[in-house]
């Protein structure tokens, strides 16, 4: 399999974390690209977005949540791991709920960052404030629900939330948003996992290209 990704994309990082947590990293070749300019990506994905996973038969799978679900099934079927998405009941709903919140938080963070790069006369203060409120409200919800994001029983929702929080720090290093100490302590514990140390956000450079055979 092949995974097209960008090192600044939180959705790419979520999938790359999932790969490692599922023990599938040696089965996937990770290909760094610029989704804005690389024609190879659009040839596989009409949306020209990362992450995009290419299966052995050539089928392209889009959207990080769909990719993670597929990889979870592959890992379970192959015996690589017991999976990172609970299969039944409230545990499954809880993991998917947290993934949904994190995905929305990451999207709002990215949109706010993109709008902030525009000339002042080309910005919408209303839209920017709405995105900022979405980010901060998500952080508040994470604090309130931290007890259900236990480090010893991590799942896809846990990993998604952590990626989302570090994406906020990556895009807003001036700490524009208030991430409480309790949440930062939790982040520090979780970020020691190899899946996170190997997928740190950064601007692209030549040494990023990585193949896993």
């Amino acid at each position: 399999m092949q995974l097209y990704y960008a090192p600044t994309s939180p959705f790419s990082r979520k999938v790359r974390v999932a790969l490692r947590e599922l023990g599938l990293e040696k089965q996937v070749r990770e290909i760094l690209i610029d989704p804005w300019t690389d024609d190879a990506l659009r040839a596989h994905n009409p949306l020209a977005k990362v992450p995009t996973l290419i299966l052995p038969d050539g089928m392209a799978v889009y959207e990080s949540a769909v990719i993670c679900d597929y990889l979870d099934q592959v890992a379970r079927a192959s015996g690589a791991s017991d999976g990172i998405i609970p299969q039944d009941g409230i545990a499954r709903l809880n993991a998917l709920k947290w993934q949904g919140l994190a995905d929305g938080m990451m999207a709002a963070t990215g949109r706010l960052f993109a709008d902030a790069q525009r000339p002042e006369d080309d910005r919408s203060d209303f839209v920017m404030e709405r995105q900022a409120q979405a980010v901060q409200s998500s952080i508040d919800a994470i604090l309130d629900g931290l007890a259900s994001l236990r480090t010893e029983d991590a799942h896809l929702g846990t990993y998604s939330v952590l990626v989302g929080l570090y994406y906020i720090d990556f895009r807003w290093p001036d700490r524009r948003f208030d991430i409480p100490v309790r949440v930062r302590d939790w982040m520090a514990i979780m970020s020691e996992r190899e899946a996170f140390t190997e997928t740190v956000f950064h601007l692209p450079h030549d040494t990023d290209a990585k193949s896993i055979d």
Side-chain angles (χ1 to χ4, degrees), residues 41-123:
L41 178 61
R42 191 174 293 279
H44 292 293
N45 183 344
L47 301 173
K49 293 171 62 178
V50 289
T52 295
L53 180 70
I54 311 301
L55 305 189
D57 64 1
M59 179 181 178
V61 183
Y62 331 131
E63 299 302 318
S64 62
V66 179
I67 295 173
C68 288
D69 182 72
Y70 173 76
L71 293 174
D72 188 79
Q73 294 179 47
V74 169
R76 291 176 185 274
S78 67
S81 84
D82 293 331
I84 58 174
I85 304 176
Q87 297 297 285
D88 301 302
I90 194 65
R92 178 178 175 82
L93 181 60
N94 185 59
L96 296 180
K97 178 201 78 170
W98 283 115
Q99 178 186 216
L101 178 75
D103 284 358
M105 181 174 70
M106 292 187 286
T109 301
R111 289 169 187 161
L112 182 62
F113 176 78
D115 284 346
Q117 311 311 303
R118 296 174 179 270
E120 288 190 16
D121 59 359
D122 193 30
R123 301 176 190 169

Side-chain angles (χ1 to χ4, degrees), residues 96-168:
L96 296 180
K97 178 201 78 170
W98 283 115
Q99 178 186 216
L101 178 75
D103 284 358
M105 181 174 70
M106 292 187 286
T109 301
R111 289 169 187 161
L112 182 62
F113 176 78
D115 284 346
Q117 311 311 303
R118 296 174 179 270
E120 288 190 16
D121 59 359
D122 193 30
R123 301 176 190 169
S124 168
D125 291 340
F126 173 78
V127 171
M128 291 183 69
E129 179 58 27
R130 181 177 175 81
Q131 300 298 342
Q133 288 179 352
V135 174
Q136 189 61 59
S137 294
S138 297
I139 295 170
D140 296 342
I142 291 166
L143 175 63
D144 291 341
L146 207 56
S148 66
L149 291 167
R150 296 176 296 172
T151 57
E152 67 276 12
D153 190 25
H155 47 63
L156 179 59
T158 316
Y159 304 135
S160 300
V161 167
L162 186 60
V163 169
L165 291 169
Y166 274 113
Y167 185 57
I168 293 171

